[in-house]
């Protein structure tokens, strides 16, 4: 009896082993390929198109995400072959405009002033999410920081700004400090928010944490961080004067009919239309209005004042 | 089929462990192999997916910027991972923007794996000859837009290799475990079997009778040492061959002696002595074994003692039974012999053992057997004891037996058998007859004495008158001669009467101090001349110490003369020799006289009757048959005894040079008389 049981167990074990052994190797039927069959690939020639570039304020991915729908709209409305391209840096962007590689440039007012020198001219500007075609900078401090109550108090303090190229987050407030006779050397430290992306928010968080005494941000940033920090703890020390916002410029020599077609389509964008609102929201604007080069004179004045043109 | 039970314990243990491990290995290796292969494949797939998805995310910027260098760096970075065969990036039109192949691009790959935009990944197994490749295709997506596809190829061979390695390691582990288990099993089994072997050896020694072996370990602390106990009368005190928990009736206050062994052991488990000394099951077995051997030994000793005692008792009983001349036998209720003594067995000519189970008909002649059988059956039925005398005819003559049969009662009161005792009373019977004869003789003596006394007086008158008448007639006349005949015959009658009176001891006894030898010499000198005429010589060997006895010289002289004349008569007229010997035995207080002749001797049956009155072997006119009986009466009167032996025994020392004699072997008469009459006199009833 015992012997039978033992034999049965052994047989079962062998059977199990036989059943399971091939299971480890079985898989879907493979697709036959021959890796030795090689060819040298040649890239297909790119079609001629009107190039569109967004100043690389953000990563290419975000740039692409923000303007993909707008470009799609413009291609559809104007019938022009528009293609978004991605310069890696501000400098490259400017150079590409100068070389005529970028036909339509979307840049901030400071970059535009440089582009204008290279022959580009503004033809449209955006309406900020705040509803104005202008935007301001803000100087903030912690509400409980009794040492900072006025612009004058900012001397000798630790300042965190967004970026050396940031308009609202650095250059506009810097102009304001110049107006009050405060120079960069008057601050204990002047630091810029680290890393790519979310730099505006980082300034607010750094001030909120008390790492810095004052911070400078583009107006509207506080609404963005409302969910992250208690806004009651942040005090707005001062606001700069309004400056015109981001601008669309055409390179020198671009066919005026193309500019005409594109600007017409842009100006037709209506934030009250469901479809077009999503295009505008994705691009971070509420509308596009016509612009002239003279709109950017205040910026030119600021540049001169800060000595950035040298 | 019988191989397995014959295997050694060690081999069985190893076989068991080895088969468990082998079965485990057989069961688990494929299972684990499969599982680990699956999990490794899954893991590889996940890794490949992660690589592809990671690459797809990181490639977005470079693709947007159409930065081929960065894309090339990215895919090259992937191929540094060892099992990645290739990596490449396709744009949304399927054009390969960057790849890791050195020369040219294998165009088969382009369409080998497709992934839809709504899929995050697609894995396709590819076969390049014998090589298998997992191809991972991940779309490069930006929000809802698709920029292209990332493809990564992982070698399946490496996965298989990893699985193989894992299975090899597992198999190696199993082999190591097998080796370890077998080694440990061998060591363990050797320890166990060595102890079991010792037990077996001791058991075998026990079988051969050696009960002094000790199987249990001798280490450990004894209870009186552990408990610092001084109770020397405790049975466990000083006991070194047994552990204290095997000993009943210990006096330790911690011990529970109330219950049985199990209860006691239960209480012992809590005891410090037990906890320190108790071992495993085999030690328990060995110690129990020792206790068993010890108690067995003591039981065997007791049994031997009892057996010896029983044997002694049996021997004693057997001796008692066998020494008795009575024939004792035991019959059971089926009338078969169940036991007997030696005397009985000899009487039936069998050994003691042969008698057992026999019946009367097996042992005795038919008539006697029938008689015994009937008697026994009667007793078994009635339960009455039988007490009787029976006469049995044997080759040696009649034998008389006193038979006692007693029923033997069994425990329940029924008659279970019968004990029969046959006592040989032939001699007693003879003495009884002799007693009757003696009484008869005494009556006859009294009668004869009375008659002789009455006749004596008339005989005297007849004798006197005959002598008177002789004086009145001439001496040579016819009348004188007739009267002389009357006188002579009257004298004969008077002699007979005097003998009769002497036999009945109605004559005067005149005892006095006398010399025994002189009495004998007087008798010899009286008859010597007469005997010499008959050519019979007399030789005397008298004790020169001249013993003095108290007796009647005349009567004793008559006895001696009687014996001498009888001896002469035994010669039958032929020449012969008579030897007279006297001997004083001072310590025995007796003086003895032997009268031996080398005559015809006396027949054995006649020897018993020679002292009877009127018994005579002589011719009618030669003797009266009163001589010896008168002598017998005289010697008895002197407190002595007389008897005859024929033929003369060798040790008597009858002189061989003696003259004449007959072939009969002769006869010797022995007379023993007491020296001291003081003891004898008062008991002697006076007849005077």
């Amino acid at each position: 009896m015992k012997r039978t049981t033992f034999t049965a167990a052994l047989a079962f074990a062998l059977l199990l082993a036989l059943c399971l052994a091939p299971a480890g190797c079985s898989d879907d039927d493979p697709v036959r390929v021959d890796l030795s069959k090689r060819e040298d690939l040649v890239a297909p020639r790119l079609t001629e198109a009107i190039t569109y570039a967004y100043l690389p304020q953000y990563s290419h991915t975000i740039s692409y995400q923000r303007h993909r729908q707008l470009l799609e709209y413009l291609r559809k409305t104007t019938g022009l072959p528009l293609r978004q391209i991605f310069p890696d840096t501000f400098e490259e962007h400017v150079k590409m405009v100068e070389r005529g590689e970028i036909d339509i440039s979307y840049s901030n007012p400071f970059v535009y002033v440089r582009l204008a020198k290279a022959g580009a001219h503004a033809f449209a500007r955006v309406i900020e999410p705040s509803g104005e075609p202008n935007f301001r900078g803000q100087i903030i401090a912690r509400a409980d920081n009794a040492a900072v109550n006025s612009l004058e108090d900012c001397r000798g303090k630790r300042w965190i700004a967004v970026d050396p190229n940031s308009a609202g987050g650095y250059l506009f407030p810097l102009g304001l400090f110049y107006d009050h006779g405060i120079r960069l050397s008057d601050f204990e430290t002047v630091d810029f928010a680290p890393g790519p992306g979310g730099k505006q928010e980082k300034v607010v968080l750094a001030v909120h944490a008390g790492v810095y005494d004052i911070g400078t941000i583009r107006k509207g940033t506080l609404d963005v961080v409302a969910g992250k920090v208690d806004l009651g703890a942040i005090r707005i020390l001062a606001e700069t004067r309004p400056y015109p916002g981001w601008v669309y410029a055409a390179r020198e020599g671009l066919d005026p009919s193309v500019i005409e077609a594109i600007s017409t389509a842009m100006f037709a964008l209506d934030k009250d239309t469901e479809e077009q609102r999503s295009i505008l929201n994705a691009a971070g604007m509420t509308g596009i209005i016509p612009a002239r080069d003279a709109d950017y004179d205040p910026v030119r004045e600021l540049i001169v004042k800060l000595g950035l043109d040298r | 089929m019988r191989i397995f039970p014959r295997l050694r314990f060690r081999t069985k243990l190893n076989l068991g462990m080895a088969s468990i491990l082998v079965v485990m290995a057989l069961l688990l290796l494929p299972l684990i192999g499969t599982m680990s292969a699956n999990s490794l494949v899954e893991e590889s797939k996940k890794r490949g997916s992660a690589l592809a998805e990671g690459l797809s995310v990181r490639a977005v910027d470079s693709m947007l910027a159409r930065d081929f260098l960065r894309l090339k760096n990215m895919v090259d970075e992937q191929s540094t991972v060892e099992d990645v065969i290739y990596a490449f990036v396709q744009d949304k039109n399927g054009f390969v923007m960057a790849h890791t192949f050195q020369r040219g691009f294998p165009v088969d790959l382009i369409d080998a794996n497709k992934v839809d935009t709504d899929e995050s990944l697609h894995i396709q197994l590819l076969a390049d000859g014998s090589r298998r490749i997992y191809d991972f295709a991940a779309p490069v997506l930006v929000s809802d837009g698709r920029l292209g596809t990332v493809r990564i190829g992982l070698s399946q061979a490496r996965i298989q290799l990893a699985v193989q390695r894992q299975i090899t390691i597992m198999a190696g582990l199993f082999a190591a475990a097998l080796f370890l288990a077998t080694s440990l099993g061998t060591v363990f089994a050797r320890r166990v079997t060595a102890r079991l072997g010792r037990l077996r050896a001791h058991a075998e020694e026990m079988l051969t009778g050696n009960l002094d072996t000790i199987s249990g370990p001798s280490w450990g602390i004894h209870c009186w040492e552990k408990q610092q106990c001084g109770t020397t009368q405790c049975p466990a005190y000083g006991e070194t061959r047994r552990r204290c928990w095997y000993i009943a009736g210990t006096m330790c206050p911690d011990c529970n002696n109330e219950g049985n062994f199990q209860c006691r052991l239960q209480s012992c488990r809590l005891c410090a002595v037990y906890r320190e000394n108790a071992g495993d099951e085999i030690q328990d077995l060995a110690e129990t074994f020792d206790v068993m051997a010890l108690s067995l030994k003591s039981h065997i000793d007791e049994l031997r003692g009892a057996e010896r005692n029983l044997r002694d008792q049996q021997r004693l009983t057997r001796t008692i039974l066998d020494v008795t001349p009575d024939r004792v036998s035991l019959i059971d209720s089926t009338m078969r012999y169940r036991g007997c003594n030696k005397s009985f067995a000899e009487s039936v000519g069998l050994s003691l053992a042969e008698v057992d189970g026999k019946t009367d008909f097996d042992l005795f002649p038919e008539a006697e057997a029938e008689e015994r059988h009937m008697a026994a059956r009667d007793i078994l039925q009635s339960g009455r004891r039988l007490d009787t005398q029976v006469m049995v005819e044997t080759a040696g003559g009649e034998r008389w037996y006193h038979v006692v049969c007693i029923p033997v009662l069994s425990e329940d009161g029924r008659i279970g058998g019968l004990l029969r005792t046959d006592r040989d009373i032939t001699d007693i019977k003879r003495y009884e007859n002799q007693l009757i004869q003696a009484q008869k003789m005494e009556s006859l003596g009294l009668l004869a004495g009375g008659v002789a006394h009455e006749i004596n007086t008339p005989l005297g008158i007849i004798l006197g008158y005959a002598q008177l008448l002789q004086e009145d007639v001439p001496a040579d006349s016819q009348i004188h001669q007739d009267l002389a005949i009357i006188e002579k015959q009257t004298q004969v009658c008077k002699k007979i009467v005097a003998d009769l009176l002497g036999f009945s001891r109605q004559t005067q006894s005149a005892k006095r101090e006398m010399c025994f030898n002189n009495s004998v010499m007087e008798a010899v000198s009286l008859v010597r001349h007469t005997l010499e005429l008959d050519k019979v010589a007399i030789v005397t060997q008298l004790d020169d110490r001249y013993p003095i006895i108290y007796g009647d010289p005349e009567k004793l002289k008559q006895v001696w003369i009687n014996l001498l004349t009888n001896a002469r008569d035994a010669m039958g007229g032929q020449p012969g020799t008579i030897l007279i010997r006297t001997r004083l035995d001072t310590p025995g207080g007796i003086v003895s006289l032997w009268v031996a002749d080398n005559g015809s001797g006396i027949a054995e049956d006649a020897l018993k009757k020679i002292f009877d009155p009127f018994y005579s072997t002589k011719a009618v006119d030669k003797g009266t048959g009163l001589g010896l009986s008168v002598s017998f009466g005289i010697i008895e009167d002197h407190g002595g005894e007389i008897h005859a032996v024929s033929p003369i025994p060798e040790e008597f020392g009858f002189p061989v040079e003696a003259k004449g004699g007959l072939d009969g072997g002769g006869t010797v008469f022995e007379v023993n008389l007491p020296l001291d009459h003081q003891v004898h006199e008062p008991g002697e009833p006076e007849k005077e």
Side-chain angles (χ1 to χ4, degrees), chain B residues 341-362:
Chain B
N341 68 348
K342 202 172 168 184
S343 173
F344 181 88
E346 281 170 359
S347 75
V348 296
L350 293 174
S351 72
L352 285 172
E354 284 168 337
V355 172
D356 189 55
K358 296 275 195 307
T359 63
D360 283 324
F361 297 97
D362 299 327

Side-chain angles (χ1 to χ4, degrees), chain B residues 149-162:
Chain B
T149 310
V150 162
R151 299 269 298 278
I152 287 180
L154 286 188
S155 167
Q156 197 201 31
R158 301 197 73 90
I159 299 169
Q160 295 295 347
L161 205 66

Side-chain angles (χ1 to χ4, degrees), chain B residues 27 29 67 101 142 153 159 178 204 230 243 245 318 356 361 428 458 489 494 542 555 611 616 671 682:
Chain B
L27 275 174
L29 277 182
D67 187 334
F101 294 99
V142 181
I159 299 169
L178 190 66
E204 282 166 359
R243 303 287 191 195
W245 55 88
R318 177 50 66 184
D356 189 55
F361 297 97
I428 296 171
Q489 294 302 319
K494 205 160 165 62
L542 301 183
K555 290 198 170 171
F611 294 109
S616 180
V671 178

Side-chain angles (χ1 to χ4, degrees), chain A residues 17-222:
Chain A
L18 286 173
C19 292
L20 288 175
C25 310
S26 74
D27 214 326
D28 312 325
D29 289 333
V31 173
R32 298 253 153 230
V33 291
D34 184 4
L35 293 187
S36 60
K37 204 163 75 187
R38 305 285 177 97
E39 276 177 28
D40 280 325
L41 298 175
V42 180
R45 179 179 289 274
L46 287 174
T47 52
E48 281 294 324
I50 295 163
T51 54
Y52 174 104
Y54 175 24
L55 183 74
Q57 187 188 16
Y58 300 103
S59 69
H60 297 330
T61 311
I62 292 170
S63 304
Y64 177 80
Q65 282 173 349
R66 285 193 165 200
H67 289 262
R68 194 181 61 82
Q69 290 184 40
L70 180 63
L71 257 78
E72 197 66 32
Y73 164 77
L74 291 175
R75 271 196 288 272
K76 207 176 348 176
T77 315
T78 62
L80 293 169
L82 283 163
R83 191 175 82 239
Q84 187 179 8
I85 60 170
F86 301 88
D88 281 337
T89 62
F90 280 22
E91 285 306 312
E92 196 184 342
H93 186 95
V94 174
K95 291 275 164 42
M96 285 174 82
V97 174
E98 284 173 355
R99 288 199 300 266
E101 287 170 15
I102 296 170
D103 295 325
I104 309 290
S105 161
Y106 177 60
S107 63
N108 71 18
F110 283 94
V111 172
Y112 170 68
V113 170
R114 291 175 64 190
L115 294 179
K117 283 181 185 169
H121 63 96
F123 67 89
R125 57 194 264 208
V126 300
I127 300 169
E128 293 289 321
S130 60
E132 290 180 25
N134 304 315
F135 72 104
R136 299 162 186 259
Q138 285 179 328
I139 302 168
I140 56 166
R142 262 170 74 132
D144 58 352
N145 193 343
V148 183
N149 292 312
S150 65
L151 279 177
E152 283 302 316
D153 294 339
C154 293
R155 279 180 203 276
K157 297 294 182 295
R158 294 166 297 165
W159 175 21
I160 181 160
V162 174
D163 189 272
N165 286 316
S166 174
Y170 177 62
L171 296 170
F172 294 172
L174 188 60
L176 189 63
F177 282 131
Y178 266 67
D179 291 346
H180 285 78
I182 303 168
R183 296 291 177 270
L184 267 176
S185 56
D186 291 333
F187 293 95
E188 185 190 334
T189 53
V190 179
D191 288 335
F192 298 99
K199 287 186 157 203
Q200 303 275 354
E201 292 93 319
K202 285 173 186 170
V203 170
V204 180
L205 289 169
V207 172
H208 184 258
V211 180
Y212 294 91
D213 297 311
I214 54 166
T216 51
I217 51 171
R218 174 196 169 108
K219 189 180 180 184
T221 304
L222 289 177

Side-chain angles (χ1 to χ4, degrees), chain B residues 331-335 375-383 407 415-418:
Chain B
I331 301 169
D332 67 8
S333 57
T334 62
M335 314 287 288
R377 202 167 64 183
D378 185 43
I379 291 160
L380 284 173
Q381 281 171 357
S382 66
I415 298 166
L418 167 65

